[in-house]
Amino acid sequence: MRKATGAAALDQILPRKEARGVQSIEVGGRILAALAEASCPMMLKDLAALAGIAPAQAHAYLLSYRRIGLVEQEEATGRYQFGPLALDLAIGRMTDLNPDLIATEIAQDLSQRSGMTVAIVAWGAFGPGVIALVEGQHQIHMNTRAGTIYSLTGTVSGRVFAAHMPERIVRDMLRLQARPDIRSGIVGQLHDYRVSEMEEIRRKGYASFDPLPVPGVAAISAPVFDDVGGIRLALTMISSAKRLGPEGLAPQAPTLVAAARHLSQQLGHDPAAR
Amino acid sequence: MSSGRGIQSIEIGGRLLASLARQSGPRMLRDLAQESDLVPAQAHAYLSSLCRVGLVEQDSRTGQYRLGAFAMRIGLARLRSVDLYRRAGTAAHRLSEATGLMVILVAWGPQGPAAVQVSGGASLNLNIRRGTSFALQGTAAGHVFAAWSPQAEAAEMDSAAAIEVEATRERGYGIARNSPIPGISAFSAPVFDAAGRLALALTIVGASDALPDPNPVLDDLLRLTRALSLPAGTDEPQGRAQA
């Protein structure tokens, strides 16, 4: 507890279990959830139906939401959409939210639940690089730490980026990584860029590699997307190969993909959007 | 609960939300209560429900409140459902893909201009991300808002900044050369809504040697922002950017 006085004061007001709430806020929340779900301007009756609320009641809520600017009505059609306050709140959330911090929290949680080492990988000037490494239960002797740059085609993290970045940018980066001075500093071989393999990674939702690019070290990697649908990070799970069964890390893939998807949502990615 | 009067609780909840948006960082219950003119127990009940809805979240260690994940979602939904925002977002993303530059959509937020979409430019190693705010003085986007946004009128400017803002207005776009970041330059152009009000700024950011003035990417940016500023379905240029 960093703020001992604040926390103590709160404990007196705040019953630990189920706090008393304000019912209208939660009913109103259903209308907002329905509008967010639709992701386009909506007529009152459709919105009310989607929220499971009588139109007259929904209208009363929308009147108040309009007053505070959370919702507005399109002039021409009378349809409802989110208003200026919604954007203000999102900007407030974005300002407060440090994506790297959230990524680290989710990586820590993933590592704890799976026992595996988890790397957070981001695109940098020389290719995909490790920005944070959360070590698992068992120490692995490997050439990865924060700052490590991965080959774009010869590592699972690299291949996740290669599969989701625009092809032109991938090809430019491959040329850069092939430069002798850069190549000597990166982990993994450089392989040919094969469109069919990239399609396979997108279809599966994660990348694996056989044979192991680094002997004795197994890894799988899943993409994390931002709100414009571009790849933002890769979450990579790493284990010593000899601790795993014949299927390697494949049984862990659903857990990894779920964590990556959760992180994408936290960063504002909406799979329906694009 | 009569339909003509609205729902009072929603408006009280709105005061708490506006309070949270006005100041960044986690907030204490008593401060939020005070700003929203509520007693703490009452504010607590509202915040509990706002947490359940996802608009607010509470730090389990400190008990402090901040805006929640759903707050981001509804703001992004606005960016997608308002036609101008949606077209600008798509165009910004495409421009970034075509040029390899960082392209930023900047909107007026509760604390001034802020990035609401950042595309590309990862190799620049800048700490610009969604939510990054831009000062009215010394940044290309800031100059655009200072030049055209009525919301920025109240801001105090030193005389050098006032001259730069005037120059931005005459030129039709903002420039930040090797400043605030050495070796990095930015150009920012205004996008106006159908009523002629500044809605957004579109900013391109790149290494200074890749962005001379003039340059073809700047021309692309200006063509784009002028086209976006036309009311949907019109072909005639309005010339508002030059006004």
Side-chain angles (χ1 to χ4, degrees), chain B:
Chain B
M1 281 233 182
S2 98
S3 59
R5 277 198 307 225
I7 309 286
Q8 200 199 2
S9 313
I10 294 298
E11 293 169 41
I12 294 170
R15 303 212 297 259
L16 284 162
L17 291 173
S19 231
L20 279 162
R22 256 195 313 272
Q23 193 185 320
S24 44
R27 310 288 312 278
M28 306 276 287
L29 172 64
R30 61 151 192 270
D31 297 336
L32 288 171
Q34 195 175 21
E35 282 174 33
S36 307
D37 220 1
L38 298 167
V39 300
Q42 203 184 1
H44 180 259
Y46 278 95
L47 287 164
S48 299
S49 288
L50 288 168
C51 284
R52 266 173 234 155
V53 169
L55 282 171
V56 174
E57 64 186 25
Q58 188 178 22
D59 188 308
S60 56
R61 283 176 309 119
T62 62
Q64 292 180 314
Y65 295 93
R66 59 178 179 222
L67 291 163
F70 188 56
M72 171 107 98
R73 214 175 140 214
I74 63 174
L76 295 176
R78 172 164 171 82
L79 291 179
R80 280 195 299 272
S81 60
V82 175
D83 190 55
L84 181 58
Y85 288 146
R86 188 182 56 244
R87 288 188 294 133
T90 307
H93 199 58
R94 283 202 195 120
L95 182 64
S96 169
E97 283 194 345
T99 60
L101 294 171
M102 179 183 271
V103 182
I104 314 169
L105 215 63
V106 185
W108 185 266
Q111 297 169 52
V116 294
Q117 179 185 303
V118 180
S119 306
S123 58
L124 294 170
N125 285 316
L126 303 175
N127 63 343
I128 296 175
R129 57 173 176 85
R130 262 193 338 213
T132 296
S133 54
F134 295 96
L136 288 173
Q137 303 193 16
T139 69
H143 293 156
V144 167
F145 280 90
W148 286 287
S149 173
Q151 289 150 306
E153 264 168 21
E156 298 213 349
M157 293 265 161
D158 60 39
S159 55
I163 291 169
E164 187 50 44
V165 168
E166 190 48 46
T168 300
R169 212 175 275 133
E170 272 168 31
R171 194 193 294 127
Y173 58 93
I175 306 178
R177 219 162 229 310
N178 298 312
S179 156
I181 308 161
I184 298 290
S185 289
F187 294 94
S188 186
V191 175
F192 297 92
D193 67 17
R197 287 172 305 222
L198 181 66
L200 289 166
L202 263 183
T203 301
I204 51 174
V205 185
S208 295
D209 48 14
L211 276 179
D213 182 17
N215 74 71
V217 183
L218 174 60
D219 294 340
D220 287 347
L221 176 72
L222 295 175
R223 236 191 324 272
L224 191 68
T225 49
R226 284 191 196 121
L228 286 166
S229 298
L230 300 175
T234 13
D235 301 320
E236 288 299 305
Q238 304 288 299
R240 265 191 302 264
Q242 306 298 334

Side-chain angles (χ1 to χ4, degrees), chain A residues 45-77:
Chain A
K45 65 173 191 322
D46 300 330
L47 188 51
L50 197 58
I53 293 170
Q57 199 191 2
H59 184 262
Y61 277 93
L62 288 165
L63 189 68
S64 290
Y65 279 134
R66 277 174 54 201
R67 266 183 214 147
I68 63 173
L70 200 54
V71 162
E72 67 183 15
Q73 259 181 305
E74 276 188 335
E75 265 173 49
T77 63

Side-chain angles (χ1 to χ4, degrees), chain A residues 6-73:
Chain A
L10 259 171
D11 276 340
Q12 292 162 9
I13 309 162
L14 198 148
R16 273 293 119 186
K17 288 167 266 147
E18 196 57 13
R20 189 175 65 89
V22 178
Q23 205 205 350
S24 324
I25 296 285
E26 296 175 39
V27 174
R30 278 163 38 203
I31 300 177
L32 299 179
L35 194 54
E37 189 71 35
S39 212
C40 63
M42 282 187 92
M43 298 301 289
L44 172 66
K45 65 173 191 322
D46 300 330
L47 188 51
L50 197 58
I53 293 170
Q57 199 191 2
H59 184 262
Y61 277 93
L62 288 165
L63 189 68
S64 290
Y65 279 134
R66 277 174 54 201
R67 266 183 214 147
I68 63 173
L70 200 54
V71 162
E72 67 183 15
Q73 259 181 305

